[in-house]
Amino acid sequence: MLDEIERRGIYCQVKAGSHYALSNEPLQTTTLNAYAVKIPRTFVFRSQGKVKILANKLSYPALVKTFAKGEKSQRFIVDSQKSLLAMAEGVKHELDGMIVREFIEGDIDQCAVIGNKVYNIQRKFEKGVIQPAKKAKMSSLSSKDTETAIHAARICGCDIATVKMCKGYVLKVKPLVDFLLYNRKTGADLLADVTELFAEKTGFVKGEGK
Amino acid sequence: MSEKSLAIIAASHYNKQNNKVLIAEAEKAFDKVLFVPINRVMIAEEKGESKLLFKGINLLDFDACYPRFGSKDYFMGEAILRILDNSKIYTPVSIKGFQLSNHKYYSIKKLAEADLPTLLTALSSSPGVVKKISSEFDFPLVLKLINGFAGKGVMLISDDGQLKSILDTVHLFEEYISTQKYIESKAVDFRCYVFGEKVLTVKRTGAKDDWRANISRGGKAEIVPDNKKMSEAAVKASKILGFDICAIDFIQTKSQPEGFAIIDANFQPGPFRKFLGTTVPKDMMEFIRAKAEKARK
């Protein structure tokens, strides 16, 4: 569908083919890394036996995600080699794969990217827990992190996206933005920005029609 | 010629006999061959660098890599292909090709846009589109599951009732299907194996009482003289889909001026050992070797 939209010259905020990287986490990670976006140290594999090989090479804590039947099935933070091995032993069902990633401890910058504009809300990391988005507060980003957020969104084929970062590392890109949340937290009108973006991309001038 | 090495990344459920033959031919063409089941690969992303690791060996240090996995291995497969695409190692398949060929509708769409002969094809999942489909296509028509292979997930539908029943089932499993016009072919089709610019044409005849020409379902295969136009179409199709090695399947039809239409593209074609011996794996390996010679210069 995205391919057909693009072929007909219709503007869309997600590009043809972007759904692959947006729906397959290892592909997204690899793609970001390939385009020099800073990501945490990440390992992807299918066989649980690989965990034993990795366990003494990782720094802890580490984030572990398991995937089955095309979707994320479980998510753990493990704080030691022993707990990583125990977690792997406990997985009994057939997996599509596992991701083990260096866990970056710090506040999460959750950025809404709308074209070249970025709005950031920060979720505090306290006592080992990341606060939920509804408790996040608006926070400014360095120009470098702002560029990173925009670059990450573009690499994944999005003009509008939510980019999650921590200490400058990109953790995830999603093609959706919770506009109401950001409007509330930032006082800005993100939907007006979206309208402006679409107008710019389509050459629409208000009052003059198409 | 300098020494060259090849890594073959096999599917999670690979055919042992076919791979045995492939490895044997690879060992004739390459100085070092490593067979790697995809389940045993580890992807490492660190410090801006990517590695494909198998028993501590980085597959990106090889001269060539031949990935032979399908849609079931997409979780690792897409990331592996992305890494290979960005490396200097030669590989005859691309991530674009993998993604396109695993979607039976999307691949035909891209080929049709390039003015290659294809059959009328639609994409749907909702039972609500039954009436629309049946008004565009005459019965019988062919339904294919988007990720089907080796003739599996391909159904011949005779009427509206059967169509609705199948779509209801497909919808239940949240599957998408591709609908294609049915062409009477007496269970015969043509598979063009493409190796760069070279084409090997194989005529497939289906098993008795099967309308499909798949060998895995009891059919037979024989090498036939190339049809120049069909070969040109196959080479063009392979380039559009992003493959140096693939198989493009054709059916004869008067509905196209060329006299044939493309019905499928296959990312990891089987070699039909029983009928063709080692012809296909031999050609594959010689082609990859020749490319590997140029790749790192």
Side-chain angles (χ1 to χ4, degrees):
Chain A
M1 188 176 72
L2 290 174
D3 184 78
E4 186 61 16
I5 287 170
E6 192 168 283
R7 193 183 75 84
R8 290 179 187 229
I10 299 169
Y11 173 70
C12 182
Q13 81 280 9
V14 286
K15 303 291 168 270
S18 61
H19 60 287
Y20 293 111
L22 293 168
S23 60
N24 182 343
E25 195 164 331
L27 177 60
Q28 185 178 106
T29 303
T30 310
T31 304
L32 291 169
N33 195 31
Y35 285 92
V37 173
K38 202 162 112 179
I39 57 162
R41 201 164 160 240
T42 304
F43 300 89
V44 185
F45 47 89
R46 191 156 179 190
S47 152
Q48 278 140 269
K50 294 287 182 204
V51 172
K52 286 182 191 161
I53 299 170
L54 257 188
N56 63 358
K57 295 179 184 168
L58 284 175
S59 53
Y60 293 89
L63 174 67
V64 180
K65 297 185 191 181
T66 63
F67 294 79
K69 296 182 184 173
E71 293 188 355
K72 185 171 73 190
S73 52
Q74 290 177 301
R75 181 184 184 276
F76 307 88
I77 294 177
V78 293
D79 56 9
S80 66
Q81 190 174 328
K82 190 176 170 187
S83 53
L84 176 63
L85 292 169
M87 182 280 313
E89 282 288 311
V91 176
K92 301 294 179 198
H93 53 279
E94 197 181 328
L95 297 177
D96 290 338
M98 289 175 76
I99 294 178
V100 176
R101 195 174 81 192
E102 176 186 62
F103 185 75
I104 311 285
E105 289 185 276
D107 301 332
I108 298 289
D109 288 310
Q110 190 164 303
C111 312
V113 176
I114 318 276
N116 289 325
K117 291 185 180 175
V118 179
Y119 298 92
N120 184 45
I121 57 176
Q122 196 172 73
R123 295 162 63 184
K124 289 289 177 198
F125 177 71
E126 279 164 350
K127 294 177 187 170
V129 177
I130 297 165
Q131 72 179 176
K134 61 184 179 186
K135 291 192 174 171
K137 291 194 171 140
M138 184 174 84
S139 173
S140 59
L141 274 183
S142 67
S143 55
K144 187 176 175 198
D145 284 353
T146 301
E147 264 178 47
T148 298
I150 294 171
H151 185 49
R154 295 288 186 276
I155 295 303
C156 292
C158 301
D159 284 340
I160 295 175
T162 300
V163 179
K164 247 199 252 179
M165 297 169 61
C166 183
K167 294 182 176 173
Y169 289 86
V170 173
L171 306 179
K172 190 113 192 224
V173 178
K174 284 188 189 176
L176 303 168
V177 173
D178 185 341
F179 295 110
L180 295 180
L181 172 71
Y182 279 87
N183 284 358
R184 221 170 40 241
K185 297 287 179 184
T186 66
D189 183 352
L190 269 70
L191 288 170
D193 288 333
V194 171
T195 309
E196 204 177 292
L197 174 69
F198 271 73
E200 176 203 319
K201 293 291 186 184
T202 58
F204 178 80
V205 180
K206 195 175 175 183
E208 292 181 16
K210 205 162 178 185
Chain B
M1 282 196 302
S2 55
E3 287 202 349
K4 293 294 173 191
S5 54
L6 170 72
I8 299 173
I9 304 179
S12 48
H13 300 287
Y14 59 85
N15 182 303
K16 283 184 180 163
Q17 284 307 312
N18 282 347
N19 277 285
K20 208 169 157 184
V21 172
L22 196 68
I23 293 165
E25 291 303 319
E27 286 173 345
K28 291 176 193 171
F30 286 87
D31 306 283
K32 178 181 171 184
V33 176
L34 188 63
F35 180 75
V36 182
I38 193 172
N39 286 352
R40 301 186 58 197
V41 172
M42 180 155 69
I43 296 170
E45 303 279 348
E46 47 186 333
K47 296 175 191 169
E49 199 189 333
S50 300
K51 291 179 188 171
L52 295 179
L53 299 170
F54 172 69
K55 292 185 180 177
I57 300 167
N58 186 0
L59 302 182
L60 299 180
D61 290 335
F62 280 66
D63 296 294
C65 180
Y66 188 16
R68 285 184 57 87
F69 42 76
S71 57
K72 285 188 175 181
D73 295 311
Y74 83 96
F75 181 82
M76 294 280 295
E78 286 186 334
I80 287 171
L81 289 168
R82 165 66 69 202
I83 292 169
L84 288 171
D85 264 9
N86 288 347
S87 72
K88 289 182 182 165
I89 186 172
Y90 172 70
T91 178
V93 299
S94 65
I95 183 172
K96 172 190 159 191
F98 178 77
Q99 290 166 340
L100 279 176
S101 68
N102 277 310
H103 193 301
K104 292 206 177 297
Y105 172 77
Y106 198 8
S107 52
I108 295 295
K109 179 182 184 295
K110 297 310 282 185
L111 298 178
E113 284 168 12
D115 291 325
L116 284 166
T118 55
L119 298 176
L120 184 62
T121 306
L123 177 67
S124 57
S125 73
S126 162
V129 302
V130 167
K131 281 191 179 168
K132 191 155 174 67
I133 289 174
S134 57
S135 67
E136 297 274 348
F137 295 75
D138 294 327
F139 288 103
L141 52 83
V142 177
L143 290 194
K144 298 181 181 181
L145 291 179
I146 287 298
N147 295 330
F149 60 95
K152 293 176 191 170
V154 182
M155 298 157 274
L156 187 63
I157 306 297
S158 311
D159 54 50
D160 262 334
Q162 215 180 10
L163 179 61
K164 187 174 184 308
S165 170
I166 295 285
L167 285 179
D168 278 339
T169 306
V170 161
H171 187 61
L172 193 65
F173 290 100
E174 297 182 347
E175 287 278 356
Y176 284 86
I177 54 171
S178 172
T179 312
Q180 207 166 57
K181 195 174 168 59
Y182 172 70
I183 301 292
E184 170 57 59
S185 65
K186 296 182 171 48
V188 170
D189 70 16
F190 295 85
R191 168 161 286 188
C192 287
Y193 287 93
V194 178
F195 312 97
E197 301 287 327
K198 178 183 163 184
V199 175
L200 176 75
T201 306
V202 172
K203 178 181 171 186
R204 300 190 299 178
T205 308
K208 192 183 166 195
D209 300 331
D210 195 342
W211 61 277
R212 296 163 294 188
N214 295 87
I215 304 307
S216 56
R217 311 200 70 73
K220 62 178 187 180
E222 55 182 320
I223 295 173
V224 295
D226 283 347
N227 171 316
K228 187 169 182 277
K229 283 192 174 172
M230 192 183 280
S231 295
E232 283 171 359
V235 171
K236 186 176 174 186
S238 72
K239 288 187 164 78
I240 288 163
L241 295 174
F243 297 126
D244 278 347
I245 292 178
C246 68
I248 307 292
D249 295 342
F250 293 83
I251 199 166
Q252 285 179 312
T253 172
K254 291 175 186 169
S255 65
Q256 298 289 338
E258 296 86 350
F260 53 80
I262 296 173
I263 51 172
D264 206 0
N266 199 312
F267 164 72
Q268 41 151 356
F272 302 158
R273 283 175 299 112
K274 185 176 166 187
F275 303 100
L276 307 181
T278 58
T279 305
V280 171
K282 183 171 178 290
D283 284 355
M284 282 177 177
M285 290 303 140
E286 285 177 359
F287 176 81
I288 296 173
R289 171 72 199 225
K291 283 290 193 177
E293 286 291 341
K294 294 178 189 172
R296 285 196 192 269
K297 283 184 183 166

